[in-house]
């Protein structure tokens, strides 16, 4: 009987040591609210969250999809992150790119960097998330319209 009591006390003691650790981790994790501006239609939005310290957008730490904004990431530990959001206009579940790598669907990044030089690296889109809840805004940039190529017109007789 004393050994059973000792095992119970030992289990309770281990539980008492574990509970504060779990509570501290929960307290330190906040929510991230991502407001998305510039939606083109009711197509799905896809979000990829990565560590801002990595060189590329893969692999994602978290991924979300939905049609409603804002997008919510729960229990996010403090850190430096970057977010990429795109709107899947054709419903195929991926960001379509031209042969030259130019997005054919609306896309945006945390920090709203210029896309003039191409797709930014995560470090160019970083934001700091602390223990409290954070709100960031991502502006979707629509794809460029294709330029219409006009056929050259023949000069008129009076234009010479």
């Amino acid at each position: 009987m004393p050994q059973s009591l000792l095992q119970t006390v030992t289990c309770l003691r281990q539980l008492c040591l574990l509970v504060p650790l779990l509570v501290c981790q929960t307290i330190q994790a906040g929510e991230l609210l991502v407001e998305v501006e510039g939606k083109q239609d009711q197509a799905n939005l896809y979000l990829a969250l990565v560590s801002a310290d990595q060189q590329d957008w893969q692999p994602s730490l978290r991924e979300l999809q939905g049609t409603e904004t804002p997008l919510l990431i729960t229990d996010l530990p403090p850190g430096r992150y970057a977010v990429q959001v795109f709107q899947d206009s054709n419903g195929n579940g991926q960001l379509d790119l031209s042969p030259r790598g130019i997005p054919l669907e609306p896309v945006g990044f945390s920090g709203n960097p210029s896309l003039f030089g191409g797709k930014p690296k995560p470090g160019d889109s970083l934001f700091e998330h602390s223990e409290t809840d954070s709100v960031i805004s991502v502006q979707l940039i629509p794809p460029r319209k294709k330029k219409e190529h006009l056929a050259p017109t023949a000069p008129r007789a009076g234009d010479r």
Side-chain angles (χ1 to χ4, degrees):
M1 186 93 147
Q3 185 174 3
S4 174
L5 183 61
L6 181 62
Q7 286 176 339
T8 303
V9 169
T10 303
C11 286
L12 285 174
R13 188 174 135 209
Q14 288 173 344
L15 186 60
C16 288
L17 293 174
L18 183 61
V19 168
L21 288 175
L22 294 175
V23 170
C24 287
Q25 284 184 343
T26 304
I27 290 173
Q28 290 181 353
E31 293 182 343
L32 173 63
L33 198 63
V34 181
E35 296 174 342
V36 181
E37 300 171 12
K39 279 183 63 176
Q40 303 295 307
D41 52 35
Q42 289 301 313
N44 265 350
L45 292 169
Y46 285 82
L47 177 144
L49 174 79
V50 299
S51 168
D53 299 325
Q54 64 189 52
Q55 293 298 311
D56 200 353
W57 289 94
Q58 294 295 330
S60 295
L61 299 173
R62 304 239 186 129
E63 294 182 3
L64 289 177
Q65 98 180 52
T67 56
E68 299 300 318
T69 61
L71 299 169
L72 178 67
I73 298 175
T74 59
D75 297 326
L76 184 62
R80 295 164 30 108
Y81 298 100
V83 165
Q84 173 185 2
V85 178
F86 76 91
Q87 188 169 16
D88 186 19
S89 301
N90 63 4
N92 67 353
Q94 63 186 17
L95 176 61
D96 294 323
L97 302 172
S98 74
R100 293 177 47 199
I102 298 169
L104 300 174
E105 297 173 301
V107 65
F109 300 87
S110 50
N112 299 308
S114 169
L115 301 183
F116 185 71
K119 186 175 184 178
K121 297 207 178 290
D124 299 330
S125 300
L126 79 89
F127 64 93
E128 297 274 344
H129 175 68
S130 63
E131 296 89 15
T132 60
D133 297 344
S134 299
V135 178
I136 63 169
S137 178
V138 173
Q139 177 69 43
L140 292 180
I141 298 171
R144 290 186 181 171
K145 303 277 188 224
K146 290 185 179 180
K147 293 181 182 177
E148 293 184 29
H149 296 287
L150 300 175
T153 57
R156 292 183 289 182
D159 288 346
R160 289 184 182 193

